[in-house]
Amino acid sequence: MKILFCLAILLHTATSEIYDIVVSGVFESNSTTYNYTQSREYCLSQNATLATLEQVTRAQNTSFQTCRFGWVEEQQIILARTTANKSCGSNHIGIIKQQPCGYYIAPSAYCYKIKVVRGVFHVDSPSVKYSLTFAEANSTCARLNATMATENQLLIAHGAGFETCRAGWVAEQKIFISRITSTKSCANGITGIQEYPGTNMTSDVFCYRSDLYFTDVYVVYPPFGNSTMTYSEAMQQCLSLGDSLASKEQLRSAPTPISDGIPGWSKDNDVVQFSSGNLTVTPCVNEPSQLASAYCFNPNSTYFIPVSTNDDKLWLKITIGCIIAAICIIFIVVAAAYIGMNKCICCTRRKKQAQDSTLERDQGYDTAKGLYLPRWNKAGMFTPKDDMFHQIPSYQDAGTKLSVRSKALNTAYRTHHFTNHGFESTPEDSKQSFDKTHLDSSPAGVNPQDTSPGNSHEYINTAFDGTF
């Protein structure tokens, strides 16, 4: 039973990292999976409701994590993780959304422009520093949905705090550098708008976008006339403009509001849009027929974390413990079996032979002339020490010792086996034994009370034990 219990714990530990955990009223269903409708019904059966994404996020921030994806009220399948684990969420932490979501396309994306002031931004040469000709600089800005900045636009941006440590073309075919702080390594410490000598034929470029005059985030749309784009396509679209997808924080902190009602991808893999100047998240949704666990919420549930398995080697420790326990149990069972059969080495010792004064090795009985009784021989038989033969009254006058004396049949003597089988004898012995006759003319080697011819006299006390 202990082994089965140990194996049950091992199996449960190997298949789930955290179980029966309740944090901030949030808990996950058992290993059974449900579709979206069934997950809501399950939570109701547990006197709870299907948890919202916000409730699970709050619990996750308070140490709640699982290793199974589950439904939330927003019709999303998510996984809550607080620690990185390769087998749970591929080492990601936070709220992990199962992909693909039903909202896996959007009509636009929100990009973030780094270091743009009053619509002016600097663009480096793509390969070698200061390698753009004026014509190449113009086409570079056009590729970024911008135009080359004018000298006046650069001056306005400088007045708003724009500076770089790189020079660039402006629309007047001049090369300028904008400096606010004096640094010897940048324009030899000169501040302001400094023009470079006209002998320079290549440089970087200053571009201008009017839609970025008051903000650093903007909306891009799918290329080639497409109406929607995926998250990956949105990332690529921003990257092609020299920018990145905007995060929700960057969108919220934008200097000026963005137009309302334009759903677009954000850096956090969410589709967002502005409503009355406020950013709202349009979560992706999963197909309702998909199967997953369920995250339930009951505000009255008690905080409960019965097992913490941050140690990824817990299953190994349990396995080793089970193996050691199994070996010990097997050893005990085998030892008990050997003890029961009296075969255990520690319980067995050579038994002392029964003391018998009538038995002694290599001693025969020869008081009767011409009669040679059994001796200790190759068959391993004992021969009597004392007078073992009694006189049968009807033959006492013959002077011949015949059968076994009653003393030998005393129950105090154990397993004395007297036989004439295999005794060593000489031809003379045999001749003397069978040439002698009794008073009734029977041969000396034959019991007068036994009608069978003799050379096989056997006397056995079957109640005896132990020795031969």
Side-chain angles (χ1 to χ4, degrees):
M1 289 299 295
K2 291 182 179 179
I3 294 178
L4 293 177
F5 179 74
C6 187
L7 292 177
I9 294 177
L10 174 62
L11 179 62
H12 192 80
T13 304
T15 55
S16 62
E17 182 186 1
I18 295 181
Y19 56 92
D20 296 335
I21 179 173
V22 181
V23 177
S24 300
V26 176
F27 60 93
E28 190 179 22
S29 64
N30 53 28
S31 57
T32 304
T33 56
Y34 311 93
N35 60 35
Y36 179 67
T37 301
Q38 292 171 338
S39 66
R40 303 183 74 175
E41 294 173 351
Y42 169 80
C43 291
L44 289 174
S45 70
Q46 303 299 312
N47 297 321
T49 59
L50 194 61
T52 65
L53 180 61
E54 181 182 358
Q55 290 167 342
V56 177
T57 302
R58 185 167 58 248
Q60 185 266 338
N61 291 333
T62 318
S63 75
F64 177 80
Q65 67 173 351
T66 70
C67 199
R68 299 192 303 273
F69 280 90
W71 286 104
V72 291
E73 182 63 31
E74 289 81 358
Q75 197 178 320
Q76 287 183 302
I77 298 176
I78 65 170
L79 175 65
R81 295 296 305 169
T82 60
T83 57
N85 188 302
K86 186 176 182 180
S87 60
C88 297
S90 301
N91 283 328
H92 295 296
I93 60 175
I95 300 299
I96 305 167
K97 298 176 182 178
Q98 189 179 78
Q99 299 296 330
C101 290
Y103 205 125
Y104 56 88
I105 57 174
S108 65
Y110 289 97
C111 301
Y112 173 72
K113 175 67 72 175
I114 302 175
K115 295 181 179 179
V116 58
V117 179
R118 294 293 185 264
V120 176
F121 55 95
H122 178 270
V123 180
D124 294 341
S125 300
S127 54
V128 181
K129 182 179 180 179
Y130 296 145
S131 61
L132 292 175
T133 64
F134 179 76
E136 291 171 339
N138 190 35
S139 62
T140 296
C141 290
R143 189 167 57 251
L144 300 177
N145 290 340
T147 60
M148 293 183 67
T150 65
E151 184 177 347
N152 185 56
Q153 291 169 340
L154 181 61
L155 183 62
I156 294 173
H158 174 268
F162 179 74
E163 72 170 345
T164 68
C165 197
R166 299 279 293 266
W169 290 103
V170 294
E172 290 81 3
Q173 296 189 24
K174 295 179 181 180
I175 298 174
F176 284 95
I177 187 171
S178 177
R179 293 298 307 162
I180 296 177
T181 58
S182 177
T183 303
K184 186 174 183 180
S185 60
C186 295
N188 294 321
I190 299 175
T191 60
I193 300 298
Q194 177 69 32
E195 182 179 1
Y196 272 45
T199 54
N200 290 340
M201 300 302 295
T202 59
S203 184
D204 295 339
V205 62
F206 290 105
C207 299
Y208 174 79
R209 284 185 57 167
S210 59
D211 60 331
L212 298 179
Y213 193 86
F214 294 108
T215 187
D216 51 8
V217 294
Y218 60 96
V219 180
V220 294
Y221 296 94
F224 312 117
N226 296 328
S227 59
T228 59
M229 56 183 168
T230 65
Y231 176 73
S232 297
E233 291 171 342
M235 290 181 63
Q236 186 60 39
Q237 186 73 350
C238 291
L239 185 62
S240 67
L241 298 175
D243 304 319
S244 61
L245 277 172
S247 66
K248 290 192 285 288
E249 289 74 18
Q250 290 168 341
L251 290 170
R252 291 189 180 99
S253 61
T256 57
I258 300 176
S259 299
D260 289 348
I262 303 177
W265 286 107
S266 70
K267 183 179 181 180
D268 309 290
N269 200 13
D270 289 318
V271 176
V272 300
Q273 64 181 3
F274 285 90
S275 177
S276 301
N278 297 319
L279 183 69
T280 61
V281 178
T282 303
C284 62
V285 295
N286 294 93
E287 176 61 38
S289 61
Q290 286 184 255
L291 298 178
S293 298
Y295 289 105
C296 303
F297 175 74
N298 183 344
N300 299 320
S301 297
T302 304
Y303 183 93
F304 180 59
I305 304 181
V307 173
S308 176
T309 57
N310 293 329
D311 184 359
D312 292 338
K313 295 184 178 180
L314 177 62
W315 67 270
L316 180 60
K317 297 177 181 177
I318 295 178
T319 301
I320 294 174
C322 289
I323 293 174
I324 294 175
I327 293 174
C328 291
I329 291 175
I330 292 173
F331 176 80
I332 293 172
V333 170
V334 172
Y338 267 81
I339 292 173
M341 294 185 296
N342 201 23
K343 292 183 178 180
C344 184
I345 295 175
C346 63
C347 303
T348 302
R349 66 174 180 266
R350 185 175 183 84
K351 290 183 173 55
K352 188 175 180 180
Q353 293 186 357
Q355 297 296 323
D356 192 338
S357 62
T358 65
L359 301 177
E360 187 170 326
R361 187 166 179 155
D362 292 332
Q363 288 190 3
Y365 185 81
D366 57 358
T367 57
K369 301 298 184 180
L371 182 59
Y372 293 87
L373 299 178
R375 296 177 179 276
W376 185 274
N377 54 37
K378 294 179 180 178
M381 301 298 182
F382 286 99
T383 57
K385 172 182 177 183
D386 299 332
D387 183 3
M388 297 296 294
F389 294 87
H390 65 87
Q391 305 294 328
I392 298 177
S394 58
Y395 299 99
Q396 290 180 357
D397 296 336
T400 302
K401 307 286 188 178
L402 291 177
S403 64
V404 178
R405 190 175 178 181
S406 59
K407 171 180 164 181
L409 299 178
N410 190 309
T411 56
Y413 298 98
R414 307 304 176 105
T415 317
H416 298 163
H417 189 165
F418 305 95
T419 179
N420 202 16
H421 296 298
F423 291 166
E424 289 183 343
S425 62
T426 62
E428 293 78 6
D429 295 335
S430 178
K431 181 178 179 181
Q432 292 176 10
S433 297
F434 286 93
D435 286 346
K436 299 290 184 179
T437 59
H438 301 296
L439 296 179
D440 60 355
S441 300
S442 62
V446 178
N447 189 336
Q449 295 182 342
D450 187 354
T451 57
S452 61
N455 195 18
S456 299
H457 296 164
E458 188 174 84
Y459 308 94
I460 303 174
N461 185 353
T462 56
F464 300 156
D465 69 12
T467 61
F468 269 79

